[in-house]
Amino acid sequence: MEEMIINPGQLTLKQLRAISRNPFELSLNEACFPAIQASVDCVNRVIRENRVVYGINTGFGLLASTRIEDKDLETLQRSIVLSHSTGVGQFMSDSTVRLMMVLKINSLARGLSGVRLELIESLIQLVNKEVYPCVPEKGSVGASGDLSPLAHMSCVLLGEGMARVNGKVMPAAEALALAGLQPITLAPKEGLALLNGTQASTAFALQGLLGAEDLFAAAVATGSLSVEAAMGSRSPFDDRVHQARGLPGQIDVAAAYRDLLDHSDIEQAHVNCDKVQDPYSLRCQPQVMGACLEQLRHAARILEIEANAVSDNPLVFAEQNEIISGGNFHAEPVGMAAEAIALATAEIGAISERRVALLVDQHLSGLPPFLVENSGINSGFMIAHNTAAALASENRCMTHPSVADSLPTSANQEDHVSMATYGARRLREMNENTASIVAIELLAATQGVDLRKPYKTSNDLQKLMKEVRSRVPFYDRDRYFSPDIALATELVTSGQLNTFVDSELLPSF
């Protein structure tokens, strides 16, 4: 297992990609220890001085005006964790839980939350021993923080709830023992600090972003191959066209297409053809994919900031001996970033589906009907395109902006919420849909280029075709099609196709 030292507030997207994909042995940079202790000391001063401060010696939400006696403070913190564990639905994947826990560790270790180092180290130990709390996916409205998911995460520290170790679900007390831990007693403010925060929404959104980046790279490579299969023009990718608009994402993407299409026999074979213009799904790829890239880059910037944010409440400013109640737990920034990712993911799939439709249409592509010889007896890619169309339609429905769908909670004290958790969680299904669409296009484009023999595509795209053909043979006659799509989808989602675009193109590469 690789090691990673966390410098609180400085996690990069590349690190977050790695954490999302693989277990790590974590440790904290010891430079953060004094700030952590100073925030604890500040909380303890509040109690000694008998000051009334929200979340330390008051109730929560609408009960914030209720003063809690000192003798009940431990019970208060334990009670909030237990009572807020109300999630439903299937459990988050281990990778999502791991990322969520690391985000919480990173936030608490900045020393603005008033929690002991012992508590943070306990979370680190769970991550290092791959003990993942069983956290239901549904039940958070994304303000005040991801209360329910983070409560389920925190329950395990108390010896309550369930955890998963090596794929086996077991009682929390048993899982703690495997991690070499005992149930912890929460000190003042610690329960609230664990539960407040946007780490569940942010973990879902980050995984949605990382998946969308992989899809983007795969779709650029696949779209280039479709240009070859359809004997499309190179003129739309000319740098002068894109400099005239000036959008950086569009300029960068056009360069990626030029690189992939360079030095192709197929291009030379139709250099003097009488075709005037290609359909938009070929010709406007830099414009559409460039706009998608701009959305992904924007979302990446927001989510990298949020991954390093302190988003619980109240916040402890030890140097000024102040504890301030604010609203950083409101996940609106995450929700809006998720909307941008959703739109980009849907559009990547939408234009890919259109290219599949183009390739199977003999009048547009100049290829055999449905990309198979002896059509009529063979249906070829006819119904594979139906699948792509169905998935593109699903994605359109899921682009409805969840962040605009607020409902008040906590007896109208929490009267506007972000709904970011669902907005981010749906990205997984949208990515799965788009991955299958791009996979179908990849199979269709590879088939189309094979049908152009003896002409060959560019060297880079020949490498792409080799990756496909090492998994899926040429479609010479009808066969059981579903496994072909599954194998191509696996290739699209694997990240292997990221090498077909410049590593600087996408933020986490």
Side-chain angles (χ1 to χ4, degrees):
M1 190 185 298
E2 289 189 60
E3 297 181 357
M4 183 183 293
I5 298 173
I6 293 180
N7 296 298
Q10 299 178 42
L11 283 173
T12 67
L13 285 172
K14 288 181 174 63
Q15 287 177 309
L16 293 164
R17 174 179 277 271
I19 292 164
S20 175
R21 303 293 166 86
N22 299 293
F24 275 84
E25 183 85 19
L26 302 178
S27 61
L28 287 176
N29 186 328
E30 294 183 5
C32 72
F33 291 0
I36 293 171
Q37 186 57 50
S39 72
V40 174
D41 293 342
C42 186
V43 170
N44 290 335
R45 275 195 300 275
V46 165
I47 297 169
R48 285 198 309 270
E49 295 167 3
N50 203 32
R51 290 153 53 192
V52 179
V53 176
Y54 171 72
I56 296 176
N57 48 18
T58 72
F60 308 108
L62 193 66
L63 304 176
S65 60
T66 303
R67 173 72 159 85
I68 307 298
E69 297 298 324
D70 289 358
K71 65 181 178 63
D72 294 322
L73 294 184
E74 285 184 6
T75 302
L76 174 70
Q77 298 302 316
R78 180 180 177 85
S79 294
I80 189 176
V81 174
L82 298 177
S83 68
H84 285 45
S85 300
T86 59
V88 298
Q90 69 182 34
F91 294 143
M92 291 181 185
S93 68
D94 288 350
S95 64
T96 306
V97 174
R98 178 174 60 246
L99 183 56
M100 177 175 67
M101 293 174 77
V102 172
L103 294 175
K104 177 56 77 174
I105 290 163
N106 185 45
S107 178
L108 296 178
R110 285 188 55 186
L112 296 171
S113 301
V115 305
R116 294 165 296 156
L117 178 60
E118 173 190 351
L119 175 66
I120 302 171
E121 294 283 8
S122 294
L123 283 171
I124 290 173
Q125 183 74 348
L126 291 180
V127 172
N128 290 348
K129 295 298 183 181
E130 298 182 63
V131 174
Y132 301 119
C134 292
V135 181
E137 289 190 334
K138 299 181 181 182
S140 174
V141 297
S144 88
D146 291 313
L147 295 171
S148 178
L150 292 172
H152 283 278
M153 179 198 78
S154 304
C155 266
V156 172
L157 293 170
L158 309 181
E160 300 282 353
M162 306 295 287
R164 190 160 46 204
V165 183
N166 295 324
K168 179 183 177 184
V169 174
M170 61 185 68
E174 185 179 337
L176 281 178
L178 289 175
L181 294 171
Q182 294 290 326
I184 198 169
T185 299
L186 296 175
K189 195 185 177 298
E190 288 184 338
L192 186 60
L194 285 166
L195 270 56
N196 259 181
T198 64
Q199 286 78 30
S201 298
T202 306
F204 277 130
L206 279 167
Q207 289 189 318
L209 171 69
L210 300 174
E213 287 184 336
D214 293 342
L215 291 174
F216 183 92
V220 169
T222 300
S224 299
L225 197 60
S226 289
V227 171
E228 291 285 74
M231 286 192 162
S233 172
R234 300 302 194 277
S235 297
F237 306 103
D238 190 303
D239 184 54
R240 292 168 294 181
V241 172
H242 308 290
Q243 293 291 344
R245 170 171 265 178
L247 191 69
Q250 180 177 323
I251 293 167
D252 293 345
V253 172
Y257 283 107
R258 289 196 303 274
D259 289 343
L260 287 165
L261 290 165
D262 198 24
H263 302 301
S264 162
D265 291 346
I266 293 177
E267 177 190 12
Q268 298 306 315
H270 66 97
V271 69
N272 294 317
C273 71
D274 57 1
K275 187 187 296 184
V276 177
Q277 289 184 330
D278 293 322
Y280 291 176
S281 61
L282 295 179
R283 185 176 13 138
C284 297
Q285 288 187 78
Q287 287 79 7
V288 174
M289 296 297 282
C292 292
L293 179 57
E294 291 288 349
Q295 295 304 308
L296 295 179
R297 285 174 170 174
H298 167 71
R301 182 181 67 83
I302 298 297
L303 293 178
E304 186 171 37
I305 292 170
E306 192 69 13
N308 289 292
V310 183
S311 55
D312 63 277
N313 185 62
L315 298 182
V316 180
F317 298 96
E319 287 188 12
Q320 295 82 28
N321 194 31
E322 286 189 72
I323 299 178
I324 301 175
S325 185
N328 284 356
F329 51 70
H330 202 298
E332 194 85 355
V334 180
M336 288 193 174
E339 304 301 347
I341 298 167
L343 191 59
T345 300
E347 282 298 276
I348 292 168
I351 195 169
S352 176
E353 179 274 327
R354 288 290 78 207
R355 289 191 295 270
V356 176
L358 183 156
L359 291 174
V360 300
D361 186 335
Q362 61 182 321
H363 304 294
L364 291 174
S365 68
L367 292 163
F370 302 107
L371 301 173
V372 67
E373 299 289 359
N374 201 14
S375 55
I377 293 176
N378 294 309
S379 295
F381 280 69
M382 180 190 296
I383 307 305
H385 171 244
N386 284 19
T387 299
L391 296 173
S393 179
E394 283 191 16
N395 276 353
R396 287 177 187 138
C397 293
M398 283 190 282
T399 55
H400 173 80
S402 61
V403 79
D405 223 2
S406 175
L407 286 170
T409 60
S410 193
N412 283 305
Q413 170 73 5
E414 297 162 4
D415 58 350
H416 181 279
V417 299
S418 71
M419 297 298 178
T421 323
Y422 166 70
R425 174 166 53 85
R426 68 175 162 169
L427 297 175
R428 179 182 61 215
E429 186 174 356
M430 294 186 71
N431 283 347
E432 289 170 355
N433 287 345
T434 295
S436 294
I437 297 169
V438 173
I440 290 167
E441 184 194 355
L442 182 56
L443 292 173
T446 301
Q447 182 79 1
V449 172
D450 275 339
L451 290 167
R452 296 294 184 189
K453 289 178 179 178
Y455 300 112
K456 292 182 179 180
T457 184
S458 68
N459 289 333
D460 282 345
L461 294 179
Q462 285 182 56
K463 292 175 184 176
L464 175 59
M465 291 180 64
K466 186 176 180 180
E467 289 288 347
V468 176
R469 287 293 176 239
S470 68
R471 295 163 173 81
V472 180
F474 179 75
Y475 198 98
D476 57 347
R477 61 181 181 275
D478 283 347
R479 60 175 181 254
Y480 185 44
F481 209 148
S482 180
D484 292 2
I485 297 172
L487 289 168
T489 302
E490 185 179 300
L491 176 60
V492 166
T493 58
S494 68
Q496 289 179 253
L497 304 189
N498 296 353
T499 59
F500 287 92
V501 300
D502 191 292
S503 61
E504 298 299 315
L505 193 64
L506 290 151
S508 79
F509 279 16

